[in-house]
């Protein structure tokens, strides 16, 4: 069964799309069958994967409203080994149209079920707002990967996101939990970044990935060439960091085992009665596999 993760943060400009595209490319390079779902009407993950969103006839929009299936709409990322379920501005109309659909919050989940055995990882790039599209992403996923900058306002946004995940876990998707927090655009020369990073480790423990993504010009340049940074310049610090993050995520997932209700848990740790998988205090005992 594919592991489906949402890359989400309610704050904009924190590297969600950069993380989605580069993690997809890194996982593919590490031998994982990977599908990237672009759930943002801006279509940045689509363009960043080298797919022209303006020429597409079938996208995630057609999938959500039932005019296409995932296989028909999926495209291969040029120069990379992962698949993309693309998006363009048509997707903005889905917000209005889905309101009249039955089970509108699980349209994506139902569509992805048809390709569950074709991929090892499915990554969903969500828009920054909590919309019906984002809710579809959360309902389809097993877990949330939260990219965040080590800044003061990012901490406030993180608190809101954790509360949102708790509500979705309670009302829509009992499988949903926080997989981990990824520190991105990190500048070790800034004292505040180091302080916020230390606070995250203290409060969230093993929920914070060991890999740290540095601020890197080559990662910022890569989308203009229609390539992930991992493919555009594999020797750059940013690309190497995302490769390390991919390896860490694979290692973390290898320590989990499937259970009968579809959840995954640490093979060495029995589930706690009444535990809320979305709570940050429900920590896994996994040790991060990548160096800092």
């Amino acid at each position: 069964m594919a592991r489906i993760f949402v890359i989400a943060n309610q704050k904009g400009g924190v590297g969600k799309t950069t993380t989605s595209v580069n993690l997809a490319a890194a996982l593919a390079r590490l031998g994982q069958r990977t599908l990237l779902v672009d759930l943002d009407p801006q279509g940045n993950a689509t363009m960043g994967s080298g797919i022209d969103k303006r020429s597409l006839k079938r996208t995630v929009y057609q999938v959500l409203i039932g005019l296409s299936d995932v296989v028909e709409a999926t495209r291969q990322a040029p120069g990379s080994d992962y698949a993309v379920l693309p998006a363009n501005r048509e997707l903005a109309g889905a917000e209005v149209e889905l309101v009249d659909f039955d089970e509108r919050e699980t349209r994506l989940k139902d569509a992805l079920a048809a390709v569950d055995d074709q991929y090892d990882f499915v990554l969903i790039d969500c828009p920054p707002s909590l919309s019906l599209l984002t809710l579809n992403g959360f309902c389809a996923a097993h877990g949330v990967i939260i990219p965040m900058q080590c800044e003061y306002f990012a901490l406030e946004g993180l608190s809101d996101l954790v509360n949102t995940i708790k509500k979705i876990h309670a009302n829509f998707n009992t499988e949903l939990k926080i997989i981990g927090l990824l520190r991105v655009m990190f500048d070790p020369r800034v004292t505040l970044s180091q302080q916020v990073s230390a606070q995250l480790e203290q409060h969230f423990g093993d929920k914070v990935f060991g890999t740290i993504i540095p601020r890197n010009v080559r990662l910022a340049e890569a989308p203009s060439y229609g390539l992930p940074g991992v493919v555009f310049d594999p020797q750059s610090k940013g690309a190497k960091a995302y490769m390390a993050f991919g390896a860490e995520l694979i290692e973390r997932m290898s320590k989990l085992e499937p259970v009968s209700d579809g959840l995954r848990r640490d093979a060495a740790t029995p589930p706690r009665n009444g535990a809320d998988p979305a709570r940050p205090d429900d920590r896994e005992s996994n040790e991060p596999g990548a160096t800092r």
Side-chain angles (χ1 to χ4, degrees):
M1 187 171 73
R3 296 179 172 95
I4 305 175
F5 299 140
V6 167
I7 315 295
N9 194 319
Q10 290 172 242
K11 189 176 184 298
V14 295
K16 292 187 298 297
T17 299
T18 298
T19 295
S20 300
V21 170
N22 282 282
L23 177 57
L27 290 171
R29 288 200 158 200
L30 292 167
Q32 304 297 305
R33 300 172 300 166
T34 305
L35 172 65
L36 173 60
V37 179
D38 190 351
L39 210 56
D40 191 335
Q42 295 183 76
N44 290 336
T46 299
M47 297 291 283
S49 298
I51 300 170
D52 185 0
K53 63 183 180 182
R54 295 160 296 191
S55 63
L56 296 171
K57 294 183 179 179
R58 291 179 179 175
T59 67
V60 68
Y61 166 73
Q62 279 76 23
V63 171
L64 289 174
I65 64 174
L67 296 180
S68 177
D69 59 33
V70 174
V71 174
E72 292 173 333
T74 296
R75 300 289 181 270
Q76 191 71 20
S80 304
D81 294 324
Y82 64 93
V84 180
L85 181 54
N88 55 26
R89 290 185 178 180
E90 282 186 316
L91 186 57
E95 290 281 359
V96 177
E97 295 181 51
L98 287 175
V99 171
D100 296 325
F101 281 77
D102 293 330
E103 299 181 342
R104 54 186 176 271
E105 70 276 356
T106 60
R107 301 286 294 181
L108 181 62
K109 177 181 179 180
D110 295 340
L112 291 176
V115 295
D116 189 67
D117 60 343
Q118 297 180 27
Y119 298 101
D120 300 308
F121 287 91
V122 176
L123 306 176
I124 304 173
D125 182 33
C126 286
S129 60
L130 182 57
S131 61
L132 189 52
L133 293 174
T134 306
L135 182 58
N136 261 268
F138 279 129
C139 288
H142 301 119
V144 185
I145 296 173
I146 306 173
M148 63 174 294
Q149 293 176 263
C150 292
E151 299 176 351
Y152 174 75
F153 287 122
L155 287 176
E156 287 197 337
L158 178 60
S159 177
D160 292 338
L161 179 59
V162 170
N163 288 331
T164 297
I165 293 171
K166 287 181 180 179
K167 291 177 182 178
I168 293 173
H169 172 268
N171 296 292
F172 296 102
N173 182 5
T174 56
E175 293 187 19
L176 189 67
K177 65 177 181 178
I178 295 175
I179 299 299
L181 282 69
L182 176 67
R183 292 160 288 183
V184 300
M185 292 183 275
F186 188 83
D187 189 344
R189 299 170 297 178
V190 178
T191 302
L192 178 62
S193 295
Q194 297 179 8
Q195 292 173 343
V196 173
S197 177
Q199 288 180 32
L200 287 173
E201 291 179 339
Q202 181 179 2
H203 184 69
F204 289 95
D206 289 341
K207 287 292 184 183
V208 180
F209 286 106
T211 306
I212 296 177
I213 310 299
R215 190 175 293 277
N216 184 247
V217 174
R218 301 299 274 173
L219 289 178
E221 292 176 342
S224 64
Y225 293 87
L227 291 170
V230 168
V231 178
F232 176 62
D233 187 355
Q235 299 306 313
S236 67
K237 291 182 179 180
K240 290 180 178 179
Y242 274 114
M243 288 298 299
F245 176 47
E248 180 180 3
L249 182 62
I250 292 171
E251 181 179 352
R252 220 176 246 217
M253 293 302 102
S254 70
K255 294 179 181 179
L256 306 182
E257 65 176 4
V259 292
S260 59
D261 61 358
L263 289 171
R264 294 175 173 82
R265 68 171 189 266
D266 190 321
T269 306
R272 290 158 42 184
N273 292 332
D276 181 351
R279 289 185 57 191
D281 290 334
D282 292 335
R283 300 170 184 168
E284 297 170 356
S285 61
N286 307 345
E287 289 296 331
T291 58
R292 301 179 187 177

